[in-house]
Amino acid sequence: HVQLVESGGGSVQPGGSLTLSCVVSGSTRSLNCMGWFRQATGKEREGVSVVHSGGTIEYADSVKGRFTISRDLDKKILYLQLNNLTPEDTGSYICGAEPFCPIPVGPPKAADYRYWGQGTQVTVS
């Protein structure tokens, strides 16, 4: 079993920055891809960024150049640095993990992931 716990969300003004963290515990050895997703009120969960076990990274077009995903394998933490935030970035940011990952092409798809955290809220206004 895998547990994911996010933190680091908050309220910021447009142009501001945040750093999100996702602490991973449990049976982590089999996880081959980990990603960040976001879900705004009334909208579907969308993939923001993913890092595969081999190091391949993908981003959604809407965040390229502004967000950076990274990981600390020793501490088992996944990060997402959010810069130059806009109101359209508002939502719950959710960490996802999956042992059987699709070939890395484009941002992650929620339907491909089985393990989820509870999310951390980001509000830009």
Side-chain angles (χ1 to χ4, degrees):
H1 189 59
V2 174
Q3 297 85 40
L4 308 172
V5 179
E6 305 92 336
S7 63
S11 296
V12 297
Q13 294 181 344
S17 298
L18 288 170
T19 301
L20 308 183
S21 300
C22 172
V23 177
V24 187
S25 60
S27 303
T28 61
R29 188 170 296 180
S30 63
L31 297 176
N32 285 315
C33 55
M34 293 195 62
W36 285 98
F37 299 77
R38 65 186 180 189
Q39 190 164 17
T41 302
K43 294 188 177 181
E44 293 187 354
R45 188 169 297 185
E46 64 169 337
V48 174
S49 182
V50 58
V51 55
H52 290 257
S53 57
T56 300
I57 289 175
E58 300 280 358
Y59 294 98
D61 288 343
S62 60
V63 306
K64 283 181 180 177
R66 300 189 299 121
F67 292 8
T68 303
I69 193 170
S70 61
R71 58 186 178 173
D72 185 324
L73 295 177
D74 291 334
K75 295 182 180 178
K76 298 182 180 181
I77 301 176
L78 182 72
Y79 298 100
L80 187 68
Q81 176 67 40
L82 291 68
N83 294 326
N84 195 18
L85 285 160
T86 73
E88 289 69 36
D89 296 316
T90 293
S92 178
Y93 281 69
I94 306 156
C95 179
E98 170 60 34
F100 303 105
C101 305
I103 296 173
V105 178
K109 296 178 177 62
D112 294 331
Y113 286 68
R114 75 182 68 188
Y115 298 115
W116 296 99
Q118 293 299 310
T120 184
Q121 179 67 30
V122 172
T123 302
V124 186
S125 64

